[in-house]
Amino acid sequence: MAKLTEQEQQEIIRYIEADKPLPDKYRFLLFEDKREVELVWNGKTSEVCNIVLPFQVIEQVDEPRAEKPEDTEAQMFLFDERGRQLKGWTNKLIWGDNKLILSSLKNGPVREEVEAQGGLKLIYIDPPFDVGNDFKMDIEIGDETFTKERNILEEIAYSDTWGKGADSFIAMIYERLVLMRDLLAEDGSIYVHCDWRVNSYIRLVLDEVFGSTFLNEITWQKIRTTKAQSSGFGNVQDTIYLYSKSKDPIFSNQYTAFDPAYIKSHYKAEEGTGRLYRTVSMLQKGSGPARNFGGTVLEPPPGRHWIWSQNRIDEAMSGGRIVFTSNGRPEKVQYLDEMEGDIVADIWSDIYPINSQAIEALGYPTQKPEALLERIINASSNKNDLVADFFCGSGTTAAVAEKLGRKWIISDLGKFAIHTTRKRMIGVQRQLKEEGKDYRAFEILNLGKYERQHYIGVNPNLREEQQQKQIEAKEEAFLNLILRAYRAEKVENFACFNGKKAGRLVSVGPVNLPVTRLFVEEIILECRKKHITKVDILGFEFEMGLFPNVLDEARAKGIDIAPKYIPAEVFDKRAVEKNQVVFHDVSFIEVKPQVKKNRTAVELTDFSVFYSQDSIANAEAAIKNKGSRIVVEKGQIVKVSKDKSGIVNREVLTKNWTDWIDYWAVDFDFESKREIIRVQNEGSGEWEERWTGDFIFENEWQSFRTKKDRSLELKSVFHECVPGRRKLAVKVVDIFGNDTMTIVEVTI
């Protein structure tokens, strides 16, 4: 520390007594060794999340789809090799906040599984930057396209992270990058994809986290043509930063071996052969005709002449190839299929963005082409290595990793992203199975128990006591808002209940987390203790796989629980004041099981939804003549339009209950696999396995819509079963990505 003058010492005391922050100059006077360049932002802290939450497996996809009993039997041996391994790694698709996911991976029992695979070798992330558009999704309804807005949990999470300026974004990405660095293997590397909006911030944060392990700043030309700009030049590129985990990768060779890639952009096609070649040398200059090694006389162009040296002709004939250009000029060439190619530099202009009509296009506005990920994964990982993507979006990283024989962990906060990825990965499994190639099972996981301090975000600069007061004040305001919108009367002296309406107690779920099984179990416990029989649970989201098991459990104990979704309109004061806020019920499924001797099948007979997004009245007031808008109101998708005279027309697009279904799957023996989580014993610190009381949905048959095929089967194949009573589970995922499950009993 530098020696302070008496005046400086007195000034510091005055600032401390006044409870004011010290001027910046004292950072350097008090901490002399911090004079080097550093990145500073409001709220910066070296502390990162270290919470460990249990991962709950709610669905297992072992093989893409069993069609017939005999096919299943024939695949049993291959299944152990190509589907879920009896021992070893199962790929992981995780729904939740990636900060909590990363912390739980780094500090929890799954870390042992990761290390057993050789550690995490490669991370690719493409964090969202355009808050306005990145999380909207276009959904096809017949010939129309409906834009799905972000759900409220995404809205809250992303407005907190991206909606408060650069400080909040830097703080978000910094903490996650620190966790990723600590999770990476010593020979691992990370690729961070960004664009002009945040690339300068990202580079500085990466330098802060990874230090001197920078390897490359890659420029990817994502657009080939651009319109004339009113100011500036067209934006046609993204930036991808590459860092390694090790300190001195170039000299110590600690990072994963970098495999150079080769590109075809410098090659031409030989007419009539389909082969690609590049020019090695031009055979020209001089006079007179020449012969190629096949004996053909090559005449020079009109007014020109060739002179050949014999050694050039001999060289061409004995050691190379000759092709003739359109003007008759001979070229000595090398063919691409006979050589490795050109090493790729840090400007990637040969990988094209996804065309809207491409097979791999899934409608995600930020979806990246598989060719881009193929280059990255091939360059910085080997077969059977573990790779990860914690902003997975439509699942491109997982799809490419699976095709290249890598293991993977991916996650996303958006439920629709998880569903899109599930369909995509089943499609990849089907493709690999058809080609006779290896594929690996994957499981869909939730984060389990959530802790109270993550209930609502608070100012991290406040003292703990002040933070607690802020939490309590925010919780109180939130509960009052929801109860007012629900037209419920506030109640006191309950642990789980916040209000009362029409003889039913009301419990409000957290503002920025899904309602979990633990949350509902606490409600059931208080109901039994205080003899409560009717309950409404209000939530923005419900944990995947939560229903109907927990409702059946409550019903068996004499408790009627009605789960209801909280709509985004609760935050619209005008909607609340006009009593326009509708809390819709969770979707309802009807199925019909069929039994033939020792086989069973399931037919889907009805599916009811109760969603609302926007309203017909709002649309009619907002749209102009010759305009239109698609809205969701009380379980119907309606196109509202006005003709040139202002006459309003309403067209219901969801003409059949099947229009709401995007995907459904069957587990033919639901209670065959218990859901086991690993939790730490508070006394010994050892990790222990515990049964959650629930079962894992084993996805044995599924039908879903794709961009190419919009049809949907409504009856499963017959599945061979062991005689006796069993439970069949049917899971339906609607076009918004929300899942609903029902269970039926059959006797074989």
Side-chain angles (χ1 to χ4, degrees):
M1 184 179 75
K3 187 174 181 180
L4 300 175
T5 65
E6 184 175 344
Q7 182 180 353
E8 288 169 339
Q9 293 175 15
Q10 292 300 319
E11 187 177 9
I12 289 174
I13 292 172
R14 286 196 297 273
Y15 275 105
I16 293 173
E17 289 176 343
D19 198 22
K20 293 181 178 180
L22 294 178
D24 276 352
K25 70 176 183 178
Y26 286 109
R27 284 195 301 121
F28 303 104
L29 290 173
L30 291 171
F31 306 102
E32 197 170 29
D33 61 335
K34 292 292 183 182
R35 287 185 179 273
E36 71 272 14
V37 175
E38 70 173 302
L39 182 62
V40 180
W41 62 89
N42 185 29
K44 181 178 181 180
T45 174
S46 59
E47 297 178 4
V48 297
C49 180
N50 60 4
I51 288 174
V52 178
L53 306 177
F55 290 105
Q56 297 174 291
V57 181
I58 52 100
E59 183 172 342
Q60 177 101 34
V61 185
D62 287 345
E63 58 178 329
R65 169 165 153 159
E67 294 292 349
K68 301 176 183 177
E70 54 267 28
D71 290 346
T72 304
E73 291 170 8
Q75 286 290 326
M76 281 306 292
F77 177 74
L78 293 176
F79 170 60
D80 291 341
E81 299 296 325
R82 290 187 172 147
R84 175 173 54 88
Q85 308 296 301
L86 294 178
K87 294 181 180 179
W89 178 262
T90 299
N91 291 323
K92 305 186 188 308
L93 172 57
I94 310 172
W95 178 47
D97 183 336
N98 56 15
K99 180 175 76 173
L100 299 176
I101 290 169
L102 284 161
S103 176
S104 300
L105 286 172
K106 174 192 167 186
N107 302 301
V110 178
R111 182 66 179 267
E112 297 175 14
E113 297 179 47
V114 170
E115 299 303 328
Q117 305 307 311
L120 184 54
K121 299 293 189 180
L122 169 65
I123 296 174
Y124 167 87
I125 58 170
D126 181 15
F129 308 115
D130 184 0
V131 187
N133 296 313
D134 279 351
F135 306 101
K136 295 180 180 180
M137 287 300 304
D138 287 338
I139 298 170
E140 294 181 17
I141 307 293
D143 297 328
E144 299 289 343
T145 299
F146 169 71
T147 300
K148 173 192 173 294
E149 300 291 340
R150 288 174 292 179
N151 67 40
I152 198 66
L153 295 193
E154 292 170 330
E155 183 75 37
I156 292 169
Y158 291 122
S159 63
D160 283 349
T161 303
W162 285 270
K164 296 181 179 178
D167 285 345
S168 63
F169 173 78
I170 294 173
M172 179 282 299
I173 201 67
Y174 173 79
E175 184 171 15
R176 284 156 176 80
L177 285 172
V178 169
L179 290 167
M180 290 180 206
R181 179 200 63 197
D182 295 345
L183 190 58
L184 266 176
E186 286 304 311
D187 57 351
S189 53
I190 182 170
Y191 289 75
V192 181
H193 195 136
C194 52
D195 67 8
W196 59 272
R197 285 166 286 199
V198 293
N199 57 3
S200 56
Y201 298 140
I202 290 284
R203 175 65 191 271
L204 293 171
V205 173
L206 283 165
D207 284 343
E208 176 100 359
V209 173
F210 286 90
S212 59
T213 63
F214 168 79
L215 294 179
N216 279 112
E217 178 179 338
I218 298 162
T219 297
W220 173 47
Q221 185 181 348
K222 61 182 179 180
I223 297 174
R224 290 299 175 275
T225 59
T226 183
K227 297 179 180 178
Q229 305 294 309
S230 57
S231 61
F233 299 101
N235 174 31
V236 299
Q237 68 173 30
D238 277 0
T239 301
I240 304 172
Y241 292 114
L242 168 58
Y243 284 73
S244 66
K245 173 74 175 287
S246 58
K247 296 294 184 184
D248 299 301
I250 294 174
F251 302 106
S252 65
N253 198 27
Q254 289 293 305
Y255 65 102
T256 296
F258 183 85
D259 293 330
Y262 300 92
I263 57 175
K264 301 177 181 179
S265 60
H266 304 306
Y267 291 79
K268 309 173 206 175
E270 183 180 2
E271 188 176 353
T273 67
R275 300 180 77 189
L276 294 175
Y277 71 91
R278 70 172 180 177
T279 301
V280 177
S281 62
M282 304 294 292
L283 303 181
Q284 55 184 327
K285 294 184 179 179
S287 61
R291 296 179 182 271
N292 72 349
F293 60 85
T296 304
V297 176
L298 175 64
E299 296 290 348
R304 302 286 299 277
H305 59 276
W306 306 112
I307 293 179
W308 295 79
S309 64
Q310 188 60 47
N311 65 327
R312 292 292 299 278
I313 296 174
D314 291 344
E315 179 187 356
M317 290 175 62
S318 62
R321 301 286 194 274
I322 295 178
V323 299
F324 305 111
T325 61
S326 58
N327 64 2
R329 177 174 295 179
E331 295 179 345
K332 181 185 173 187
V333 302
Q334 286 182 313
Y335 288 104
L336 182 61
D337 56 358
E338 296 176 349
M339 60 182 296
E340 288 185 308
D342 288 340
I343 295 178
V344 174
D346 59 5
I347 297 178
W348 296 359
S349 58
D350 60 312
I351 297 177
Y352 287 77
I354 296 177
N355 184 287
S356 60
Q357 302 305 311
I359 294 175
E360 66 179 276
L362 298 172
Y364 258 76
T366 59
Q367 183 181 346
K368 301 303 182 290
E370 290 191 5
L372 185 71
L373 271 298
E374 184 176 337
R375 175 168 295 170
I376 289 170
I377 292 172
N378 270 329
S380 295
S381 70
N382 299 310
K383 194 169 184 179
N384 288 320
D385 278 351
L386 183 58
V387 303
D389 183 347
F390 299 104
F391 297 89
C392 76
S394 61
T396 303
T397 301
V400 176
E402 187 71 39
K403 293 175 184 178
L404 295 178
R406 273 65 167 177
K407 302 163 187 172
W408 49 266
I409 303 173
I410 60 172
S411 73
D412 204 280
L413 180 62
K415 186 182 279 188
F416 196 88
I418 297 299
H419 172 55
T420 301
T421 301
R422 165 172 44 200
K423 289 202 306 179
R424 185 173 188 173
M425 294 315 301
I426 291 173
V428 171
Q429 285 185 331
R430 290 180 179 180
Q431 176 188 337
L432 294 175
K433 182 178 182 180
E434 186 177 338
E435 295 171 356
K437 296 179 181 178
D438 290 348
Y439 59 87
R440 191 175 291 271
F442 68 94
E443 54 193 10
I444 301 172
L445 302 98
N446 282 327
L447 276 179
K449 174 185 173 185
Y450 286 86
E451 300 205 5
R452 249 341 237 193
Q453 57 260 46
H454 295 287
Y455 189 70
I456 294 178
V458 297
N459 185 348
N461 296 322
L462 296 177
R463 293 190 176 90
E464 188 175 343
E465 182 181 346
Q466 293 173 308
Q467 285 188 11
Q468 189 58 40
K469 288 181 179 179
Q470 191 177 67
I471 287 175
E472 292 171 0
K474 286 190 173 185
E475 285 183 4
E476 185 73 14
F478 169 67
L479 291 172
N480 290 338
L481 173 69
I482 302 302
L483 292 175
R484 183 185 174 196
Y486 194 57
R487 298 291 191 251
E489 175 188 352
K490 194 171 184 180
V491 296
E492 305 288 347
N493 303 319
F494 288 98
C496 300
F497 301 108
N498 315 104
K500 186 175 183 179
K501 179 180 179 180
R504 301 176 68 90
L505 284 173
V506 178
S507 179
V508 180
V511 65
N512 62 342
L513 296 170
V515 172
T516 64
R517 182 182 179 87
L518 178 66
F519 188 94
V520 181
E521 285 175 346
E522 290 176 349
I523 289 173
I524 293 173
L525 194 64
E526 186 167 12
C527 284
R528 297 193 71 187
K529 184 177 179 181
K530 298 185 177 179
H531 308 290
I532 298 165
T533 59
K534 296 180 180 180
V535 176
D536 291 345
I537 301 179
L538 313 181
F540 291 115
E541 283 279 14
F542 294 90
E543 185 179 88
M544 285 189 243
L546 183 61
F547 307 123
N549 293 13
V550 71
L551 300 185
D552 293 340
E553 178 185 327
R555 198 173 294 113
K557 296 173 181 176
I559 305 166
D560 173 27
I561 292 181
K564 295 179 181 292
Y565 282 103
I566 303 173
E569 287 76 24
V570 294
F571 297 110
D572 185 337
K573 291 182 179 179
R574 294 169 300 176
V576 173
E577 290 168 358
K578 295 178 181 179
N579 197 21
Q580 293 177 337
V581 181
V582 178
F583 291 71
H584 55 83
D585 296 330
V586 171
S587 303
F588 176 75
I589 307 171
E590 282 188 5
V591 298
K592 181 180 178 182
Q594 299 179 10
V595 178
K596 290 183 180 179
K597 295 183 180 180
N598 64 337
R599 297 188 300 160
T600 183
V602 178
E603 182 180 1
L604 195 58
T605 57
D606 197 10
F607 181 63
S608 303
V609 298
F610 309 95
Y611 301 137
S612 293
Q613 178 181 303
D614 205 343
S615 70
I616 294 173
N618 287 345
E620 290 178 347
I623 59 177
K624 299 178 180 179
N625 291 358
K626 297 196 292 184
S628 65
R629 180 187 292 183
I630 298 176
V631 302
V632 183
E633 185 171 280
K634 298 179 181 178
Q636 293 287 353
I637 298 182
V638 182
K639 181 179 181 180
V640 181
S641 57
K642 284 184 182 178
D643 62 18
K644 61 182 180 180
S645 303
I647 304 299
V648 175
N649 179 57
R650 302 176 184 177
E651 179 187 0
V652 177
L653 302 180
T654 43
K655 303 182 186 304
N656 194 292
W657 58 271
T658 57
D659 293 338
W660 276 104
I661 300 174
D662 187 62
Y663 167 106
W664 72 291
V666 182
D667 182 344
F668 291 99
D669 190 9
F670 178 59
E671 294 188 351
S672 63
K673 189 172 184 179
R674 293 183 173 189
E675 181 188 65
I676 305 296
I677 61 172
R678 296 179 70 189
V679 295
Q680 197 166 24
N681 184 295
E682 294 181 3
S684 66
E686 297 292 324
W687 295 103
E688 299 177 347
E689 290 189 345
R690 296 180 188 173
W691 180 35
T692 64
D694 209 344
F695 299 91
I696 295 173
F697 182 91
E698 295 193 89
N699 192 322
E700 297 179 278
W701 182 93
Q702 67 284 134
S703 178
F704 55 86
R705 304 184 198 274
T706 65
K707 182 178 180 180
K708 187 177 179 181
D709 183 2
R710 304 302 298 164
S711 64
L712 192 74
E713 299 166 77
L714 297 178
K715 184 178 177 180
S716 76
V717 297
F718 277 90
H719 185 85
E720 188 170 350
C721 305
V722 176
R725 291 189 64 79
R726 65 171 55 213
K727 291 182 178 179
L728 309 180
V730 177
K731 177 178 290 189
V732 174
V733 181
D734 65 36
I735 56 177
F736 288 170
N738 298 309
D739 70 297
T740 310
M741 193 167 74
T742 191
I743 298 171
V744 293
E745 288 193 8
V746 297
T747 301
I748 308 297

